[in-house]
Amino acid sequence: SFELTQPPSVSVSPGQTARITCSGYAMPKKYAYWYQQKSGQAPVMVIYEDSKRPSGIPERFSGSNSGTMATLTIRGAQVEDEADYHCYLTDNNGVFGGGTKLTVL
Amino acid sequence: EVQLVESGGGLVQPGGSLRLFCEASGFTFSSFSMSWVRQAPGKGLEWVSAISGSGGSTFIADSVKGRFTISRDNSKNTVYLQMNSLRAEDAAVYYCAKMEIPFDHWGQGTLVTVSS
């Protein structure tokens, strides 16, 4: 399995674009998944299979996967998007990234 | 609406045992694999174990192999995590998650504290 590396923190002002990366793998055809976890709450899936949004997730959330790095993009970040974000790749023996704390202020 | 409700957490001494429960509703439980994921205080997510919809296949993380066992009762829409020989490093919030796509829905978690 691969260790997945995420930046510990990302900070943006409201309305700006936040980008959170997940790297450390080099095999193609691994799907990336992203989970948002607000303080004291359970994780919620916000992106699956690289770039798909579950129902109810705002359009400002998007994802991409180059094959060596997955990126979660939040365009026009809002204060309510402040949370920890965790990445996960398929076929990686259940390994999650270390998480990124997004601050929006 | 998918709902997952965990229970069974609590305070246990090192070397002790606990059984966690996750009761599911809002979907055809027997059709989907389920997982347990834990999160130690201030730490990231760690997958612990998974079980297929029929219960015929189980998977366990190396960190808990030989001590934890996952099972399910499809007649009760419940998945279990039997935790034996608990260590201080097992202290965490334990979440169950539905696995139609990886971890598509999560429960609210149950807290396990390991301390003498």
Side-chain angles (χ1 to χ4, degrees), chain B residues 50-102:
Chain B
I51 187 167
S52 63
S54 67
S57 297
T58 61
F59 309 88
I60 195 87
D62 288 342
S63 59
V64 303
K65 195 169 290 183
R67 301 186 299 121
F68 290 12
T69 304
I70 191 171
S71 61
R72 65 191 295 161
D73 184 340
N74 286 344
S75 70
K76 296 181 178 179
N77 283 6
T78 300
V79 60
Y80 308 95
L81 186 67
Q82 178 65 45
M83 304 188 297
N84 298 331
S85 302
L86 282 161
R87 306 167 179 168
E89 56 264 34
D90 296 320
V93 175
Y94 284 73
Y95 297 100
C96 70
K98 175 173 165 280
M99 300 292 286
E100 179 174 0
I101 47 179

Side-chain angles (χ1 to χ4, degrees), chain A:
Chain A
S1 58
F2 294 96
E3 181 176 328
L4 300 177
T5 300
Q6 297 182 234
S9 63
V10 169
S11 183
V12 297
S13 298
Q16 289 188 329
T17 296
R19 292 183 178 85
I20 299 172
T21 58
C22 176
S23 62
Y25 60 101
M27 292 180 65
K29 305 303 183 186
K30 284 187 181 290
Y31 279 129
Y33 300 77
W34 291 93
Y35 305 88
Q36 176 194 68
Q37 187 178 26
K38 296 182 178 180
S39 180
Q41 298 184 21
V44 172
M45 174 182 280
V46 293
I47 292 291
Y48 68 98
E49 292 178 359
D50 295 339
S51 58
K52 299 177 182 178
R53 275 181 295 106
S55 62
I57 301 302
E59 290 184 8
R60 63 180 179 273
F61 287 86
S62 63
S64 63
N65 186 354
S66 70
T68 57
M69 178 181 289
T71 303
L72 172 68
T73 301
I74 308 172
R75 288 185 169 79
Q78 301 184 8
V79 172
E80 60 261 35
D81 299 331
E82 190 162 288
D84 292 329
Y85 290 85
H86 308 271
C87 67
Y88 175 82
L89 261 65
T90 49
D91 302 326
N92 200 32
N93 291 330
V95 174
F96 287 87
T100 297
K101 182 175 182 60
L102 174 65
T103 302
V104 182
L105 54 75

